[in-house]
Short mmCIF file of all heavy atoms in Angstrom, two decimals:
data_model
loop_
_atom_site.label_atom_id
_atom_site.label_comp_id
_atom_site.label_asym_id
_atom_site.label_seq_id
_atom_site.Cartn_x
_atom_site.Cartn_y
_atom_site.Cartn_z
N LEU T 110 22.75 10.22 -17.17
CA LEU T 110 21.57 9.97 -16.35
C LEU T 110 21.91 9.08 -15.15
O LEU T 110 22.45 7.98 -15.30
CB LEU T 110 20.47 9.31 -17.19
CG LEU T 110 19.10 9.15 -16.56
CD1 LEU T 110 18.49 10.51 -16.25
CD2 LEU T 110 18.17 8.37 -17.51
N LYS T 111 21.60 9.57 -13.97
CA LYS T 111 21.84 8.82 -12.74
C LYS T 111 20.89 7.63 -12.66
O LYS T 111 19.71 7.73 -12.98
CB LYS T 111 21.64 9.75 -11.55
CG LYS T 111 22.03 9.15 -10.21
CD LYS T 111 21.78 10.15 -9.09
CE LYS T 111 22.11 9.56 -7.73
NZ LYS T 111 21.80 10.52 -6.64
N ASN T 112 21.40 6.47 -12.22
CA ASN T 112 20.59 5.25 -12.08
C ASN T 112 19.93 4.85 -13.40
O ASN T 112 18.80 4.35 -13.43
CB ASN T 112 19.51 5.42 -11.01
CG ASN T 112 20.08 5.80 -9.67
OD1 ASN T 112 21.09 5.24 -9.23
ND2 ASN T 112 19.47 6.75 -8.99
N ALA T 113 20.63 5.05 -14.52
CA ALA T 113 20.04 4.83 -15.85
C ALA T 113 19.56 3.39 -16.04
O ALA T 113 18.48 3.16 -16.58
CB ALA T 113 21.05 5.18 -16.93
N VAL T 114 20.36 2.42 -15.59
CA VAL T 114 20.00 1.01 -15.79
C VAL T 114 18.76 0.65 -14.98
O VAL T 114 17.83 0.01 -15.48
CB VAL T 114 21.17 0.08 -15.42
CG1 VAL T 114 20.74 -1.38 -15.50
CG2 VAL T 114 22.36 0.33 -16.33
N VAL T 115 18.73 1.08 -13.72
CA VAL T 115 17.58 0.78 -12.86
C VAL T 115 16.31 1.44 -13.39
O VAL T 115 15.23 0.82 -13.39
CB VAL T 115 17.86 1.23 -11.41
CG1 VAL T 115 16.64 0.99 -10.53
CG2 VAL T 115 19.06 0.50 -10.85
N ILE T 116 16.42 2.68 -13.85
CA ILE T 116 15.26 3.39 -14.40
C ILE T 116 14.73 2.65 -15.62
O ILE T 116 13.51 2.45 -15.78
CB ILE T 116 15.63 4.84 -14.76
CG1 ILE T 116 15.92 5.63 -13.48
CG2 ILE T 116 14.51 5.51 -15.55
CD1 ILE T 116 16.54 7.00 -13.75
N TYR T 117 15.65 2.22 -16.51
CA TYR T 117 15.22 1.48 -17.70
C TYR T 117 14.50 0.19 -17.32
O TYR T 117 13.44 -0.13 -17.86
CB TYR T 117 16.44 1.16 -18.57
CG TYR T 117 16.11 0.30 -19.76
CD1 TYR T 117 15.58 0.85 -20.92
CD2 TYR T 117 16.29 -1.09 -19.72
CE1 TYR T 117 15.25 0.05 -22.01
CE2 TYR T 117 15.97 -1.89 -20.79
CZ TYR T 117 15.45 -1.32 -21.94
OH TYR T 117 15.11 -2.12 -23.00
N LEU T 118 15.10 -0.57 -16.39
CA LEU T 118 14.49 -1.84 -15.97
C LEU T 118 13.14 -1.61 -15.29
O LEU T 118 12.23 -2.43 -15.41
CB LEU T 118 15.44 -2.58 -15.03
CG LEU T 118 16.72 -3.12 -15.68
CD1 LEU T 118 17.63 -3.73 -14.61
CD2 LEU T 118 16.39 -4.16 -16.75
N PHE T 119 13.01 -0.49 -14.58
CA PHE T 119 11.74 -0.17 -13.91
C PHE T 119 10.61 -0.06 -14.93
O PHE T 119 9.55 -0.68 -14.78
CB PHE T 119 11.90 1.13 -13.13
CG PHE T 119 10.62 1.67 -12.56
CD1 PHE T 119 9.98 1.05 -11.50
CD2 PHE T 119 10.03 2.82 -13.10
CE1 PHE T 119 8.79 1.55 -10.97
CE2 PHE T 119 8.85 3.33 -12.58
CZ PHE T 119 8.22 2.69 -11.52
N TYR T 120 10.83 0.72 -15.98
CA TYR T 120 9.77 0.91 -16.98
C TYR T 120 9.60 -0.32 -17.87
O TYR T 120 8.48 -0.68 -18.23
CB TYR T 120 10.07 2.15 -17.83
CG TYR T 120 9.95 3.44 -17.05
CD1 TYR T 120 11.04 4.27 -16.87
CD2 TYR T 120 8.74 3.81 -16.48
CE1 TYR T 120 10.93 5.45 -16.12
CE2 TYR T 120 8.62 4.98 -15.74
CZ TYR T 120 9.72 5.79 -15.56
OH TYR T 120 9.61 6.94 -14.83
N ALA T 121 10.71 -0.98 -18.21
CA ALA T 121 10.61 -2.16 -19.08
C ALA T 121 9.88 -3.30 -18.39
O ALA T 121 9.01 -3.96 -18.99
CB ALA T 121 12.01 -2.61 -19.50
N SER T 122 10.20 -3.55 -17.11
CA SER T 122 9.54 -4.64 -16.38
C SER T 122 8.06 -4.33 -16.16
O SER T 122 7.21 -5.22 -16.21
CB SER T 122 10.24 -4.89 -15.04
OG SER T 122 10.21 -3.74 -14.22
N GLN T 123 7.74 -3.04 -15.92
CA GLN T 123 6.34 -2.66 -15.76
C GLN T 123 5.57 -2.86 -17.06
O GLN T 123 4.43 -3.34 -17.06
CB GLN T 123 6.22 -1.22 -15.29
CG GLN T 123 4.78 -0.81 -14.98
CD GLN T 123 4.67 0.60 -14.46
OE1 GLN T 123 5.66 1.30 -14.32
NE2 GLN T 123 3.46 1.05 -14.19
N ALA T 124 6.19 -2.50 -18.18
CA ALA T 124 5.54 -2.68 -19.48
C ALA T 124 5.29 -4.16 -19.76
O ALA T 124 4.22 -4.54 -20.25
CB ALA T 124 6.41 -2.07 -20.58
N LEU T 125 6.27 -4.99 -19.44
CA LEU T 125 6.13 -6.43 -19.67
C LEU T 125 5.00 -7.00 -18.81
O LEU T 125 4.17 -7.79 -19.29
CB LEU T 125 7.45 -7.14 -19.34
CG LEU T 125 7.50 -8.66 -19.58
CD1 LEU T 125 7.22 -8.97 -21.03
CD2 LEU T 125 8.85 -9.21 -19.14
N MET T 126 4.97 -6.61 -17.53
CA MET T 126 3.91 -7.10 -16.65
C MET T 126 2.53 -6.62 -17.13
O MET T 126 1.56 -7.38 -17.13
CB MET T 126 4.13 -6.61 -15.22
CG MET T 126 3.06 -7.08 -14.24
SD MET T 126 2.93 -6.03 -12.78
CE MET T 126 2.34 -4.50 -13.47
N THR T 127 2.44 -5.37 -17.57
CA THR T 127 1.18 -4.81 -18.07
C THR T 127 0.67 -5.64 -19.24
O THR T 127 -0.53 -5.94 -19.34
CB THR T 127 1.38 -3.35 -18.51
OG1 THR T 127 1.80 -2.59 -17.38
CG2 THR T 127 0.08 -2.76 -19.05
N ALA T 128 1.58 -6.02 -20.15
CA ALA T 128 1.19 -6.82 -21.31
C ALA T 128 0.64 -8.18 -20.87
O ALA T 128 -0.40 -8.64 -21.37
CB ALA T 128 2.38 -7.00 -22.24
N LEU T 129 1.31 -8.82 -19.92
CA LEU T 129 0.87 -10.15 -19.49
C LEU T 129 -0.45 -10.09 -18.72
O LEU T 129 -1.28 -11.01 -18.81
CB LEU T 129 1.95 -10.82 -18.65
CG LEU T 129 2.86 -11.77 -19.45
CD1 LEU T 129 3.65 -10.99 -20.49
CD2 LEU T 129 3.81 -12.52 -18.52
N LEU T 130 -0.66 -9.01 -17.96
CA LEU T 130 -1.94 -8.87 -17.25
C LEU T 130 -3.10 -8.81 -18.24
O LEU T 130 -4.15 -9.44 -18.03
CB LEU T 130 -1.92 -7.60 -16.40
CG LEU T 130 -1.13 -7.64 -15.09
CD1 LEU T 130 -1.04 -6.25 -14.49
CD2 LEU T 130 -1.77 -8.61 -14.09
N GLN T 131 -2.93 -8.05 -19.33
CA GLN T 131 -4.02 -7.93 -20.31
C GLN T 131 -4.21 -9.22 -21.09
O GLN T 131 -5.34 -9.57 -21.45
CB GLN T 131 -3.73 -6.76 -21.25
CG GLN T 131 -3.75 -5.40 -20.59
CD GLN T 131 -5.04 -5.16 -19.81
OE1 GLN T 131 -6.13 -5.48 -20.28
NE2 GLN T 131 -4.92 -4.61 -18.62
N ILE T 132 -3.13 -9.95 -21.33
CA ILE T 132 -3.25 -11.25 -22.00
C ILE T 132 -4.03 -12.22 -21.12
O ILE T 132 -4.89 -12.97 -21.59
CB ILE T 132 -1.86 -11.80 -22.37
CG1 ILE T 132 -1.28 -11.00 -23.53
CG2 ILE T 132 -1.94 -13.28 -22.73
CD1 ILE T 132 0.17 -11.34 -23.86
N ALA T 133 -3.74 -12.19 -19.82
CA ALA T 133 -4.47 -13.06 -18.88
C ALA T 133 -5.96 -12.73 -18.91
O ALA T 133 -6.81 -13.64 -18.94
CB ALA T 133 -3.92 -12.89 -17.47
N ARG T 134 -6.30 -11.44 -18.91
CA ARG T 134 -7.72 -11.04 -19.01
C ARG T 134 -8.32 -11.49 -20.33
O ARG T 134 -9.45 -11.95 -20.38
CB ARG T 134 -7.85 -9.53 -18.87
CG ARG T 134 -7.66 -9.01 -17.46
CD ARG T 134 -7.95 -7.52 -17.41
NE ARG T 134 -9.33 -7.25 -17.77
CZ ARG T 134 -9.73 -6.27 -18.59
NH1 ARG T 134 -8.85 -5.46 -19.14
NH2 ARG T 134 -11.00 -6.10 -18.84
N GLY T 135 -7.54 -11.35 -21.41
CA GLY T 135 -8.04 -11.77 -22.72
C GLY T 135 -8.31 -13.26 -22.78
O GLY T 135 -9.23 -13.70 -23.49
N LEU T 136 -7.53 -14.03 -22.03
CA LEU T 136 -7.74 -15.48 -21.98
C LEU T 136 -8.85 -15.87 -21.00
O LEU T 136 -9.12 -17.04 -20.79
CB LEU T 136 -6.44 -16.19 -21.58
CG LEU T 136 -5.28 -16.07 -22.59
CD1 LEU T 136 -3.99 -16.64 -22.00
CD2 LEU T 136 -5.64 -16.80 -23.88
N GLY T 137 -9.47 -14.85 -20.40
CA GLY T 137 -10.60 -15.09 -19.50
C GLY T 137 -10.22 -15.42 -18.08
O GLY T 137 -11.05 -15.89 -17.29
N ASP T 138 -8.96 -15.18 -17.71
CA ASP T 138 -8.49 -15.55 -16.37
C ASP T 138 -8.42 -14.31 -15.48
O ASP T 138 -7.33 -13.80 -15.18
CB ASP T 138 -7.11 -16.22 -16.48
CG ASP T 138 -6.66 -16.82 -15.16
OD1 ASP T 138 -7.47 -16.86 -14.21
OD2 ASP T 138 -5.49 -17.23 -15.07
N ASN T 139 -9.56 -13.82 -15.04
CA ASN T 139 -9.58 -12.66 -14.15
C ASN T 139 -9.04 -13.00 -12.76
O ASN T 139 -8.50 -12.13 -12.08
CB ASN T 139 -11.00 -12.11 -14.03
CG ASN T 139 -11.41 -11.31 -15.26
OD1 ASN T 139 -10.65 -10.48 -15.74
ND2 ASN T 139 -12.58 -11.58 -15.79
N VAL T 140 -9.17 -14.26 -12.35
CA VAL T 140 -8.60 -14.67 -11.06
C VAL T 140 -7.09 -14.56 -11.11
O VAL T 140 -6.44 -14.03 -10.19
CB VAL T 140 -9.04 -16.11 -10.72
CG1 VAL T 140 -8.29 -16.60 -9.47
CG2 VAL T 140 -10.54 -16.18 -10.50
#
Side-chain angles (χ1 to χ4, degrees):
L110 189 63
K111 187 180 177 183
N112 303 317
V114 174
V115 177
I116 292 170
Y117 175 81
L118 291 175
F119 171 71
Y120 291 118
S122 60
Q123 185 178 359
L125 182 60
M126 180 203 66
T127 299
L129 264 64
L130 283 171
Q131 294 307 317
I132 288 173
R134 286 185 62 224
L136 294 172
D138 189 9
N139 283 314
V140 172

